[in-house]
Amino acid sequence: ALKTAVAHCSPAVNDSTTPTTSRRRNGDDHEKASTTTTTHFPEELLHHDHYNGITLHLDQLNNSSDNNSNDSIPESLLDPATFEAQLKAALAEWKAQGKKGIWIHCPVEHAALVPIATRLGFDFHMVHNKQTLVLSQWLPTDTTNKLPLGPTH
């Protein structure tokens, strides 16, 4: 089984299209700078792993009944047309950046977004706690898919 280590990026949301620089640690605990221009989804929803992958956590989107909701995440992300446009643009950018495995954690309350993700090439991977569907996509076209298989029983 593949273990996923999650490195959180800066929680600030960049509303412009100008590149931003963030500091990340590599496996040797030496800091290295990386330039990103991702403005399609708030950084609070993105987790970058050490396999050069990204997880989009739709399970962290605002929930009006949740007192701990993050007010900086726009509700417009739940609009299917907005989500599709942003996901399509993000996938193109991530592919250009050389990202590999892309994951989406989609809770049942946002299930209307699942058909959009599958139309854009995502496959069902597994379900967490009967409430969150995990979808995945391997972006490189020149290498075989290295994502782990989902549960088989």
Side-chain angles (χ1 to χ4, degrees):
L2 179 66
K3 283 182 140 179
T4 303
V6 177
H8 296 279
C9 290
S10 170
V13 175
N14 180 4
D15 291 329
S16 70
T17 57
T18 55
T20 59
T21 301
S22 62
R23 307 290 289 180
R24 296 193 195 141
R25 294 190 177 271
N26 66 15
D28 299 322
D29 281 338
H30 296 289
E31 285 189 334
K32 65 179 181 178
S34 66
T35 301
T36 61
T37 56
T38 302
T39 58
H40 310 292
F41 294 102
E43 283 295 319
E44 293 92 337
L45 300 181
L46 300 175
H47 297 276
H48 303 260
D49 63 44
H50 68 272
Y51 298 103
N52 202 21
I54 295 178
T55 301
L56 172 58
H57 280 279
L58 298 178
D59 52 350
Q60 294 179 8
L61 279 169
N62 291 345
N63 181 342
S64 59
S65 64
D66 182 2
N67 292 332
N68 296 322
S69 67
N70 189 334
D71 294 331
S72 69
I73 299 173
E75 288 288 329
S76 64
L77 286 178
L78 297 175
D79 172 68
T82 301
F83 177 75
E84 182 169 11
Q86 290 187 327
L87 184 57
K88 192 180 293 185
L91 288 169
E93 184 171 306
W94 294 333
K95 187 171 186 171
Q97 291 174 351
K99 298 299 180 189
K100 295 180 179 178
I102 309 298
W103 304 85
I104 298 177
H105 288 220
C106 185
V108 67
E109 61 265 21
H110 304 313
L113 302 177
V114 170
I116 295 165
T118 60
R119 276 196 309 272
L120 294 177
F122 282 85
D123 296 314
F124 290 5
H125 184 74
M126 61 186 275
V127 175
H128 278 294
N129 300 324
K130 299 182 181 180
Q131 295 297 311
T132 302
L133 178 63
V134 179
L135 300 112
S136 64
Q137 183 176 156
W138 182 253
L139 291 183
T141 56
D142 58 345
T143 61
T144 58
N145 186 338
K146 305 279 191 214
L147 296 176
L149 298 175
T152 59
H153 58 282

